[in-house]
Amino acid sequence: MNELSLHILDICQNSIKADASLITIIIEEDIINDFYKIIIGDNGHGMSQKTLSEVSDPFFTTRSTRKVGLGVSLFKMAAEMCNGSFSVDSIVNKGTVVTALFEHGHIDRAPLGDIGETIMILILNEKDIDIYYEHIYNNKKYVFDTREIRKVLGDIPFTEYSVILWIKDNIVNGIKNLQKEETK
Amino acid sequence: MKSLDDLKKIRDGAQKKVVMRGKHDGIRILVGMATCGISAGARPVMNLFVEKIAERDLNTVTVTPVGCIGECAIEPIVEILQGEERTTYCRVNEEVAERIFNEHIIGGKVVSDNVIGKFRL
């Protein structure tokens, strides 16, 4: 996968499958200390210690349609390739947190890519989940929260596609502004 | 920058519509969005469907990300569900997705070049 946002989409699918009602995506970029950190948390049904020990094994999967499960292992590989680290913490019936750390300036670190598209697709998922997204760029911050959007929308669903496109644009512009202000 | 006021305008516009978009009525587009689908390019395909539906303001078409059906080698896979008809497309890139939208969703004609099977549920 050539974008970090594709990994995020992939990892969040696991949260959805774990019946999470809230997914928290936090990205912290620090140019000065040269790190790029992605933390994905959910309140899904979590994993046992045994499952947790197997989760980044590419030959571990919960599904029956095939014998490999590459999502977590690919994300782990991407982080470790960039002098980073990767960890998964989980508590049964509480939730799971996936943390991936990258060297910001590492040549192999993929760009974030279209995170707006990623969040849009997560929102359009069949299960009704809330997404909290926080992007920190040095000391500036952009926050997006579907719970806030729901307050404005009332009974208009997210499947109103003009709404979903507004969300995508809002996120893309929000992040663009973070970086723009920085270069002044 | 799109502001919250724009969102409110969209909301008010949507409230005026008489037709409510039912989740399981009309045409459903399912896009395989597991690791295999994502790495094969399913995300921009799904995005294209969303943009096309919004552009034409179609009330009876929905697009939903789904998991893996086990044919990872021929991803991205897109399924079109209409009544009892189910059409499965494979190796769908943005170009094919646009054809599916124009010829199948709008035109009602299956794009046979990318279909892997058509059967009654």
Side-chain angles (χ1 to χ4, degrees):
Chain A
M1 286 184 217
N2 50 11
E3 290 180 14
L4 294 177
S5 57
L6 289 174
H7 284 289
I8 294 172
L9 174 59
D10 196 12
I11 297 299
C12 289
Q13 301 285 11
N14 296 333
S15 301
I16 293 166
K17 216 154 282 169
D19 292 324
S21 61
L22 175 68
I23 300 177
T24 309
I25 303 164
I26 298 170
I27 298 180
E28 196 179 344
E29 287 187 66
D30 191 325
I31 311 278
I32 296 122
N33 298 306
D34 198 23
F35 70 81
Y36 198 113
K37 196 194 233 169
I38 300 173
I39 308 165
I40 301 165
D42 71 47
N43 60 354
H45 51 57
M47 286 176 276
S48 67
Q49 283 302 314
K50 188 182 176 292
T51 311
L52 199 54
S53 66
E54 294 169 321
V55 77
S56 52
D57 177 351
F59 296 101
F60 174 79
T61 181
T62 53
R63 88 190 67 222
S64 53
T65 51
R66 52 175 157 79
K67 288 186 174 125
V68 291
L70 299 177
V72 174
S73 42
L74 282 174
F75 196 28
K76 181 173 189 260
M77 188 185 78
E80 288 174 348
M81 220 162 61
C82 302
N83 284 338
S85 60
F86 181 85
S87 68
V88 186
D89 298 299
S90 189
I91 300 171
V92 175
N93 296 328
K94 286 267 179 192
T96 303
V97 178
V98 175
T99 309
L101 187 68
F102 301 76
E103 205 176 86
H104 199 291
H106 198 285
I107 189 132
D108 286 326
R109 183 185 63 78
L112 178 63
D114 201 333
I115 189 77
E117 257 182 37
T118 283
I119 291 173
M120 172 184 91
I121 289 169
L122 290 173
I123 294 172
L124 286 178
N125 217 284
E126 281 212 304
K127 293 182 187 166
D128 211 17
I129 44 162
D130 277 306
I131 312 280
Y132 174 87
Y133 170 56
E134 185 179 303
H135 194 127
I136 301 162
Y137 188 85
N138 293 333
N139 49 13
K140 298 212 163 57
K141 191 157 92 175
Y142 167 79
V143 174
F144 170 83
D145 192 335
T146 50
R147 289 166 297 185
E148 296 297 316
I149 304 294
R150 278 182 209 275
K151 276 184 208 161
V152 178
L153 287 179
D155 54 358
I156 303 295
F158 286 121
T159 44
E160 180 59 48
Y161 290 94
S162 47
V163 168
I164 211 79
L165 290 178
W166 177 90
I167 290 174
K168 194 179 80 167
D169 278 4
N170 188 283
I171 293 169
V172 170
N173 287 326
I175 297 166
K176 221 182 263 172
N177 283 352
L178 280 182
Q179 292 162 349
K180 206 189 288 168
E181 282 167 40
E182 194 63 30
T183 49
K184 262 182 197 168
Chain B
M1 177 90 188
K2 294 234 173 177
S3 70
L4 223 51
D5 287 336
D6 291 329
L7 182 63
K8 282 174 185 157
K9 270 179 215 152
I10 293 169
R11 175 197 64 194
D12 296 340
Q15 271 163 348
K16 284 184 195 126
K17 285 180 199 160
V18 190
V19 191
M20 278 301 285
R21 198 190 301 266
K23 241 189 167 179
H24 297 280
D25 300 337
I27 300 177
R28 297 188 74 207
I29 307 171
L30 308 180
V31 184
M33 201 62 69
T35 308
C36 46
I38 294 169
S39 49
R43 198 186 64 179
V45 165
M46 166 125 186
N47 183 57
L48 186 130
F49 283 123
V50 171
E51 284 183 349
K52 290 282 172 190
I53 295 167
E55 199 178 285
R56 289 191 177 235
D57 199 17
L58 299 173
N59 284 313
T60 53
V61 183
T62 58
V63 53
T64 312
V66 293
C68 167
I69 63 163
E71 291 295 338
C72 311
I74 52 168
E75 289 277 357
I77 291 174
V78 169
E79 290 200 298
I80 310 292
L81 272 61
Q82 186 170 18
E84 298 219 318
E85 292 261 295
R86 174 188 286 252
T87 314
T88 307
Y89 291 105
C90 62
R91 300 231 164 100
V92 179
N93 55 23
E94 283 167 277
E95 204 179 304
V96 176
E98 195 158 354
R99 277 192 66 195
I100 293 171
F101 186 83
N102 292 333
E103 295 172 29
H104 188 158
I105 310 285
I106 303 296
K109 195 171 161 288
V110 171
V111 182
S112 53
D113 294 348
N114 285 71
V115 79
I116 57 169
K118 195 178 180 202
F119 50 90
R120 308 283 286 186
L121 271 175

